[in-house]
Amino acid sequence: MFRAIVVRKDPNDPTGKALSIAVESVGEELLIEADAHSVDIRVDWSTVNYKDALALTGKPIVRKFPLIAGIDFSGKVESSRDPRFTPGQAVVLNGWGAGETHPGGLAQRARVPADWLVALPDSIDPRRAMAIGTAGYTAALCVEVCTQALIRDGIETGAGDVLVTGASGGVGSIAVALLAKVGHRVVAVTGKADQAEWLRSIGAAEVLPRSDFDAPGKPLGKERWAGAVDCVGSHTLVNVCASLRYGATVAATGLAQGMDFPASVAPFILRGISLVGVDSVQCPMPRRKAAWARLARDLSGPILDTIAAREISLQEALGLAPELLAGRVLGRVIVDVNR
Ligand SMILES: NC(=O)c1ccc[n+]([C@@H]2O[C@H](COP(=O)([O-])OP(=O)(O)OC[C@H]3O[C@@H](n4cnc5c(N)ncnc54)[C@H](OP(=O)(O)O)[C@@H]3O)[C@@H](O)[C@H]2O)c1
């Protein structure tokens, strides 16, 4: 038996819609069946990403019941019939449907197809991997899009401001740190005015209030940003597009303000800007490995320690979820699945 956060259809709800979400002691029947391509993992750490918070508060993320929640985990291989993995090896899993249609990572054990696992670089142990989590890995994917566009356009690091929205959240804070590390002048947008100093400490050169971005704006604004990472969507993303410099690119990955995109084509057809979507769930393996290599190279240990300063238990993850959805959580929170 092992402990896990399990999402079930509530047996007492006659409509069949209500969910029960709790820490339970469960058996192997909640894992997939072992086969020649599956790997068994002793999970050490998981985390609460935005999507986890949606799942843990009963939003329609989980699509198969009962299911172990958690879109990511890190730990050590216990057994593998696939020759790419050996017992004791440190691995990380992000996405692929874990915690949505496949048993997830908020548990002491996991079994997944070998094709889904990334062997951790030597400098990233399992705890650090979940301090980074899917949020940080997604930030690295966004930074890759953003920096490749800057290189393509011949814009040297520091020659233009790079904007990050939702900057105090998991994706945003790690994007700020990664962009600053390679020399960009990073402008952070936040709703947490009291965290401006903290954002400067992790790499922001300037901090702007969320209220500058989150209301309906003009189709075209002053050209300001050489590049951008947006974690927020809705009016914020529209306003970011309207204020990108000629030819610049925004990497869009989030919907913290909303899923809508009430935009004008003006910045696209008059300034040649690009909006590039970033998905972490089905992202091909070579880009995942490149993202983890960037995190190993560019994310400083002390900065990550301030971003992911909080460790909680499986039970506490349930209480954290509504706080995170309300935008009240700073940086990243790590879940010790064995606590
Ligand atoms: N596409 C993918 O594969 C992928 C992967 C990971 C995450 N995501 C998405 O990326 C987004 C951020 O994820 P996360 O893990 O960083 O979540 P998070 O830690 O909760 O951070 C989200 C941040 O957005 C800001 N925010 C919250 N509510 C807002 C609102 N109403 N208007 C404007 N800003 C608001 C807050 O930052 P400030 O207080 O600093 O403004 C908040 O901390 C989520 O929408 C998530 O679903 C997508």
Side-chain angles (χ1 to χ4, degrees):
M1 299 292 277
F2 61 96
R3 291 172 74 240
I5 297 183
V6 182
V7 182
R8 295 180 186 274
K9 290 269 184 197
D10 184 344
N12 301 317
D13 175 35
T15 69
K17 286 185 183 155
L19 301 177
S20 86
I21 303 160
V23 179
E24 295 183 22
S25 208
V26 295
E28 287 224 358
E29 69 281 359
L30 282 197
L31 301 177
I32 59 163
E33 250 178 65
D35 66 20
H37 306 292
S38 62
V39 180
D40 277 65
I41 297 109
R42 285 276 161 202
V43 179
D44 294 319
W45 306 95
S46 187
T47 176
V48 182
N49 297 283
Y50 194 89
K51 196 182 264 180
D52 295 315
L54 292 171
L56 297 182
T57 51
K59 310 291 185 304
I61 295 293
V62 175
R63 279 168 280 143
K64 197 177 155 207
F65 303 94
L67 197 80
I68 297 173
I71 66 166
D72 53 12
F73 65 77
S74 62
K76 300 256 172 60
V77 172
E78 188 176 31
S79 62
S80 172
R81 280 188 258 167
D82 186 292
R84 285 170 291 177
F85 295 97
T86 49
Q89 192 173 8
V91 291
V92 64
L93 176 126
N94 302 100
W96 294 119
E100 299 185 61
T101 51
H102 185 99
L106 285 161
Q108 293 173 304
R109 288 193 57 192
R111 181 179 293 143
V112 298
D115 283 348
W116 292 5
L117 285 173
V118 172
L120 281 170
D122 286 344
S123 59
I124 301 186
D125 65 17
R127 187 183 181 284
R128 185 168 158 81
M130 278 301 107
I132 294 167
T134 295
Y137 141 70
T138 305
L141 294 174
C142 291
V143 167
E144 180 66 20
V145 165
C146 205
T147 53
Q148 284 305 323
L150 289 164
I151 291 166
R152 182 199 62 210
D153 295 340
I155 297 170
E156 292 189 8
T157 49
D161 290 355
V162 178
L163 190 76
V164 177
T165 63
S168 78
V171 180
S173 56
I174 294 183
V176 168
L178 290 175
L179 287 162
K181 171 71 182 180
V182 291
H184 291 294
R185 186 175 187 278
V186 182
V187 178
V189 180
T190 187
K192 301 182 187 76
D194 57 335
Q195 296 302 337
E197 271 319 300
W198 180 77
L199 284 164
R200 287 196 175 88
S201 77
I202 64 167
E206 190 180 341
V207 179
L208 297 177
R210 188 194 288 174
S211 54
D212 284 3
F213 291 83
D214 65 359
K218 293 184 186 155
L220 285 176
K222 188 168 172 245
E223 291 183 47
R224 297 177 74 182
W225 319 117
V229 171
D230 178 65
C231 306
V232 167
S234 192
H235 294 297
T236 300
L237 177 56
V238 174
N239 289 326
V240 171
C241 289
S243 52
L244 283 176
R245 281 172 27 178
Y246 190 93
T249 293
V250 53
T253 200
L255 44 63
Q257 183 180 8
M259 214 179 201
D260 57 331
F261 183 53
S264 147
V265 294
F268 298 92
I269 63 172
L270 299 177
R271 291 188 182 155
I273 68 143
S274 297
L275 168 57
V276 178
V278 172
D279 166 62
S280 67
V281 179
Q282 299 294 335
C283 179
M285 194 48 88
R287 280 161 54 194
R288 290 172 182 258
K289 288 184 175 166
W292 280 101
R294 176 185 288 277
L295 290 156
R297 191 187 64 224
D298 289 345
L299 189 58
S300 103
I303 286 183
L304 183 60
D305 288 345
T306 78
I307 290 174
R310 207 167 145 197
E311 228 175 69
I312 60 173
S313 65
L314 279 177
Q315 188 62 45
E316 288 165 332
L318 295 171
L320 181 87
E323 292 293 302
L324 192 124
L325 293 185
R328 287 198 285 267
V329 173
L330 188 66
R332 306 261 312 121
V333 177
I334 318 168
V335 179
D336 179 350
V337 299
N338 296 305
R339 209 168 93 190

